[in-house]
């Protein structure tokens, strides 16, 4: 293998190119300046997207990763630059999103001296990274980057962080690059046990009321086809977690809706009537289970999961099948009998009818004068032919968008799940657009979350990204206000917002916008947004006290789901 003499900074860029990196999100500063200087010579080979804040860079990298299936890459300088990444790194960790985060650091002789813009980024990121490493010698850079990409993207994915001191960036080395294929003592996935597969298959074949719960692991494992084949052979109804959304087409006959606190009536109510629950690539999050002691009380639990740490962590499994979901689902499908559960599936459809009568019709086709979140989502989905990528922030609008936006393609739902990060939506839409340049990206954001990362309108404008942004504006921190209404006697403690003129602000950034306040203007407003050649901001003023139902109250069993307050 030939070598060339280069600086550590150039070695970093060459290493990223060897890993197929085509887009980097970042923000320069003093301690990472040598890397940015090296990047200057590679502008034809890799795009660098200058965000307006480091948190914007890491959320953009998440959006890119979630849509492209590749590791997202972001740069930040030392001190506050590095600390500003932490929220996004924590978000990526809990949502199993592959990231490679590169931070600059003060020169190695200054480490531990409280030098200007020094922070212990390695120490503080340990709990929220899959792996991290500090480079103090230029010769370490190629191997560190190779390991970073391998660890980030293998097994259960996650974020890694490489902190590079300034002297390592200036130092020289003989560059050669070898991709990492294994690391001693690191086992990214367990081989699927055929005996566990047979044990699970026997339970599934004997089931009368089985229910599949599918999560992000189906999408991460590229197992959408295998999953679809499994449920179609067995005839088992399937319900999705928030991050499992889009793994199965919304209109599939066996798709029975969303699990969890604001999920659909059927999959929540009937979980406690199921005799077998097959969990695929999901971790039994508390928002899914409700009261754990009363969850799936009549069911045997079969858990297909790549991460051994998730087995028996919340819900004890009768049969645990470790391994990649693409492999385990194929093996399971080969071992189960062809079946149907028409009467059982009909129970879910009966619940759909009840939910539709009490909630959905009023949300999607309201007769009241005020605009609802649901009708905005319905019209937007229809106008984009249900083929757009939906990026949502966190709050009421996130739940409504997830419930009513329809999907035909996988990797089409980008949202913050486990950490629930307000401010995620706008920068994540930037990354999602770069991850799928040929697709329409619709960002649905609440007025509160939008103001947390509003500056990323500048990133969108500078890069002329045709992102369609919808602000659902109720002048409240809506989800908190709903809880205050229901559980705190309408004591709206510091949740009402005095909002700015969003359209004027967007115009200041160079983004065209329009405000809709009455139903007569809504459909045309959405159509105008979609037809516009370039980024567009549509602000829709919705009812101030528009709530999200159904709802499983905190601490309640999923079968205690309520349809109205």
């Amino acid at each position: 293998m030939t070598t060339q003499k280069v600086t550590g900074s150039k070695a970093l860029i060459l290493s990223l190119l060897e890993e197929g990196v085509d887009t980097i999100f970042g923000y320069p500063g003093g301690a990472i300046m040598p890397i940015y200087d090296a990047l200057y010579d590679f502008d034809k080979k890799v795009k660098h997207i200058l965000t307006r804040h480091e948190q914007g860079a890491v959320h953009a990298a998440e959006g890119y990763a979630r849509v492209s299936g590749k590791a997202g890459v972001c740069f930040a300088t030392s001190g506050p630059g590095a600390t500003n990444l932490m929220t996004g790194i924590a978000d990526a960790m809990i949502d199993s999103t592959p990231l490679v985060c590169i931070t600059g650091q003060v020169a190695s002789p200054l480490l531990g001296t409280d030098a200007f813009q020094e922070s212990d980024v390695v120490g503080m990121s340990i709990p929220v990274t899959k792996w991290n490493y500090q480079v103090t010698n230029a010769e370490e850079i190629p191997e560190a980057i190779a390991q970073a990409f391998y660890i980030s993207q293998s097994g259960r994915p996650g974020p890694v962080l490489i902190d590079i001191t300034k002297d390592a960036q200036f130092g020289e080395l003989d560059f050669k690059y070898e991709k990492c294929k294994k690391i001693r003592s690191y086992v990214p996935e367990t081989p699927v046990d055929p005996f566990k597969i047979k044990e699970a298959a026997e339970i599934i074949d004997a089931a009368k009321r089985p229910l599949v719960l599918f999560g992000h692991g189906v999408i991460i494992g590229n197992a959408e086809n295998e999953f679809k084949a499994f449920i179609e052979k067995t005839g088992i109804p399937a319900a999705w977690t928030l991050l499992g959304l889009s793994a199965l087409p919304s209109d599939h006959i066996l798709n029975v809706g969303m699990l969890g606190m604001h999920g659909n009536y059927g999959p929540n109510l009937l979980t406690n009537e199921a005799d077998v629950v097959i969990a695929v690539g999901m971790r039994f999050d508390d928002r899914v289970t409700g009261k754990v002691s009363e969850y799936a009380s009549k069911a045997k639990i079969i858990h297909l999961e790549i991460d051994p740490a998730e087995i028996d962590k919340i819900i004890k499994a009768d049969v645990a099948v470790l391994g990649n979901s693409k492999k385990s689902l194929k093996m399971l499908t080969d071992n189960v009998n062809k079946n149907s559960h028409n009467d059982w599936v009909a129970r879910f459809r009966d619940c759909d009818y009840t939910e539709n009568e009490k909630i959905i019709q009023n949300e999607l086709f309201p007769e009241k004068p005020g605009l609802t979140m649901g009708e905005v989502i319905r019209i937007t989905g229809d106008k984009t032919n249900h083929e757009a990528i939906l990026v949502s922030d966190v709050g009421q609008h996130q739940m409504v968008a997830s419930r009513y936006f329809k999907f035909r393609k996988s990797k089409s739902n980008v949202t913050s799940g486990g950490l629930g990060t307000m401010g995620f939506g706008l920068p994540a839409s930037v990354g999602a657009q770069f991850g799928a340049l040929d697709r329409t990206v619709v960002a649905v954001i609440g007025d509160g979350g939008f103001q947390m990362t509003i500056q990323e309108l500048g990133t969108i404008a500078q890069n002329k990204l045709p992102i369609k942004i919808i602000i659902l504006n109720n002048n409240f921190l809506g989800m908190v206000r709903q809880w205050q209404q229901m559980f705190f006697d309408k004591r709206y403690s510091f949740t009402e917002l005095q909002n700015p003129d969003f359209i004027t602000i967007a115009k200041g950034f160079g983004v065209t916008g329009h405000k809709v306040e009455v139903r007569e203007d809504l459909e045309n407003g959405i159509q105008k947004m979609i037809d516009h050649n370039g980024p567009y901001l549509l602000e829709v003023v919705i009812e101030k006290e528009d709530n999200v139902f159904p709802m499983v109250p905190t601490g309640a069993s999923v079968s205690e789901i309520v349809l109205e307050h």
Side-chain angles (χ1 to χ4, degrees):
M1 180 180 290
T2 59
T3 62
Q4 56 177 312
K5 197 82 167 178
V6 299
T7 64
S9 296
K10 187 172 182 179
L12 171 67
I13 307 304
L14 291 172
S15 298
L16 295 177
L17 292 174
E18 289 280 352
E19 291 290 344
V21 173
D22 55 22
T23 308
I24 299 165
F25 306 91
Y27 202 98
I32 201 170
M33 208 175 294
I35 288 172
Y36 270 89
D37 184 67
L39 185 61
Y40 189 84
D41 295 326
F42 291 89
D43 62 323
K44 298 290 191 295
K45 293 186 177 181
V46 61
K47 294 189 293 287
H48 177 274
I49 310 307
L50 175 64
T51 57
R52 298 306 186 262
H53 191 283
E54 291 88 357
Q55 186 177 345
V58 67
H59 288 326
E62 286 186 273
Y64 176 90
R66 294 272 289 275
V67 168
S68 70
K70 302 192 300 181
V73 178
C74 62
F75 286 176
T77 194
S78 64
T83 60
N84 283 342
L85 294 181
M86 289 302 151
T87 295
I89 293 173
D91 190 276
M93 185 67 177
I94 200 166
D95 283 351
S96 305
T97 303
L99 297 182
V100 175
C101 304
I102 310 293
T103 54
Q105 183 56 274
V106 300
S108 52
L110 296 175
L111 290 172
T113 68
D114 294 330
F116 177 67
Q117 290 194 333
E118 181 196 0
S119 62
D120 181 9
V121 62
V122 171
M124 69 179 67
S125 64
I126 285 172
V128 293
T129 51
K130 191 175 176 185
W131 180 68
N132 66 15
Y133 185 73
Q134 186 172 72
V135 172
T136 57
N137 188 308
E139 293 179 352
E140 299 176 281
I141 289 174
E143 184 179 4
I145 295 302
Q147 290 190 11
F149 275 88
Y150 176 65
I151 292 169
S152 175
Q153 297 177 115
S154 59
R156 181 179 180 176
V160 300
L161 183 142
I162 305 295
D163 191 45
I164 308 177
T165 62
K166 203 165 184 179
D167 50 326
Q169 296 172 47
F170 279 123
E172 290 191 336
L173 69 153
D174 291 320
F175 178 77
K176 61 179 181 178
Y177 196 81
E178 293 182 21
K179 285 196 175 184
C180 181
K181 295 180 180 177
K182 63 181 294 186
I183 298 173
R184 190 176 67 178
S185 79
Y186 171 57
V187 183
E189 62 181 75
T190 304
V192 181
D193 184 343
F195 295 102
K196 293 292 184 181
I197 290 288
K198 289 186 180 298
E199 190 178 351
E202 289 174 2
I203 293 172
I204 292 167
D205 286 341
K208 302 299 182 186
R209 298 179 307 280
L211 175 61
V212 173
L213 317 179
F214 64 97
H216 199 194
V218 174
I219 297 173
I220 293 170
N222 296 308
E224 295 91 343
N225 291 335
E226 289 78 7
F227 179 75
K228 187 165 171 280
F230 169 70
I231 63 169
E232 287 179 348
K233 183 175 182 180
T234 57
I236 301 175
W240 37 271
T241 69
L242 182 63
L243 295 186
L245 179 55
S246 85
L248 185 69
S250 298
D251 60 0
H252 193 282
I253 193 169
L254 292 171
N255 189 332
V256 295
M258 182 166 76
L259 297 161
M261 179 171 283
H262 291 290
N264 293 106
Y265 189 46
N268 278 300
L269 184 71
L270 297 178
T271 292
N272 281 346
E273 294 191 28
D275 59 358
V276 174
V277 167
I278 306 118
V280 184
M282 56 86 72
R283 58 189 179 85
F284 291 108
D285 177 77
D286 60 287
R287 288 295 173 101
V288 165
T289 63
K291 190 175 183 179
V292 172
S293 63
E294 297 180 12
Y295 182 77
S297 52
K298 300 176 183 176
K300 290 186 176 180
I301 307 294
I302 298 169
H303 197 173
L304 278 62
E305 173 60 48
I306 198 167
D307 185 356
E310 296 297 343
I311 300 297
D312 297 337
K313 187 174 85 173
I314 308 293
I315 300 295
K316 184 169 176 55
D318 293 277
V319 179
V321 180
L322 283 168
N324 183 296
S325 61
K326 192 174 184 71
K327 298 173 185 175
S328 58
L329 281 167
K330 173 68 167 60
M331 293 172 67
L332 191 57
T333 304
D334 290 343
N335 279 271
V336 293
N337 296 327
K338 186 169 179 60
N339 207 341
S340 62
H341 296 277
N342 295 333
D343 291 344
W344 173 235
V345 173
R347 294 281 307 282
F348 289 87
R349 299 310 170 202
D350 289 343
C351 289
D352 290 346
Y353 180 82
T354 301
E355 185 177 349
N356 189 62
E357 287 288 300
K358 292 200 170 189
I359 298 170
I360 296 174
Q361 280 297 312
N362 295 329
E363 270 289 310
L364 302 189
F365 303 95
E367 296 181 356
K368 54 190 175 184
L371 292 169
T372 67
M373 293 178 279
E375 64 183 314
V376 180
I377 300 302
R378 170 183 61 81
I379 296 169
T380 304
D382 289 345
K383 295 286 186 184
T384 55
N385 200 31
H386 309 294
E387 293 181 344
I389 294 170
L390 170 70
V391 183
S392 57
D393 207 82
V394 172
Q396 286 181 314
H397 68 279
Q398 176 191 33
M399 296 295 102
V400 171
S402 300
R403 283 170 53 81
Y404 298 131
F405 209 82
K406 306 301 179 188
F407 298 95
R408 291 177 175 159
K409 297 180 180 179
S410 185
K411 296 185 175 70
S412 295
N413 174 52
V414 180
T415 196
S416 172
L419 199 64
T421 306
M422 289 179 69
F424 172 91
L426 193 61
S429 72
V430 172
Q433 189 69 83
F434 278 109
L437 290 168
D438 59 337
R439 296 186 64 187
T440 298
V441 173
V442 176
V444 177
I445 307 173
D447 47 318
F450 187 75
Q451 291 178 78
M452 289 190 170
T453 49
I454 194 171
Q455 68 275 4
E456 299 307 331
L457 284 172
T459 308
I460 291 169
Q462 182 170 349
N463 291 280
K464 300 179 174 59
L465 299 176
I467 298 167
K468 312 308 177 189
I469 307 158
I470 300 174
I471 299 177
L472 296 178
N473 183 3
N474 58 9
N475 289 99
F476 265 115
L477 300 176
M479 187 64 85
V480 182
R481 185 213 52 77
Q482 179 171 336
W483 282 48
Q484 288 173 336
Q485 178 184 340
M486 295 177 66
F487 308 119
F488 292 89
D489 301 321
K490 294 189 177 182
R491 290 160 58 88
Y492 297 148
S493 180
F494 302 102
T495 47
E496 188 162 9
L497 296 169
Q498 179 179 314
N499 287 327
D501 184 337
F502 291 118
I503 305 305
T504 298
I505 290 174
K507 185 178 179 182
F509 278 104
V511 175
T512 302
H514 178 65
K515 184 175 183 177
V516 170
E517 299 183 76
V518 294
R519 185 162 290 115
E520 292 74 26
D521 296 337
L522 180 59
E523 189 163 347
N524 286 338
I526 292 173
Q527 187 66 59
K528 186 177 178 181
M529 173 189 72
I530 291 167
D531 291 342
H532 182 74
N533 183 23
Y536 197 97
L537 175 67
L538 181 69
E539 177 188 355
V540 183
V541 178
I542 58 171
E543 284 200 338
K544 292 193 72 164
E545 295 186 291
D546 191 10
N547 288 334
V548 184
F549 286 101
M551 182 175 184
V552 179
T554 302
S557 164
V558 289
S559 56
E560 295 177 281
I561 185 169
V562 294
L563 295 173
E564 54 196 355
H565 180 59

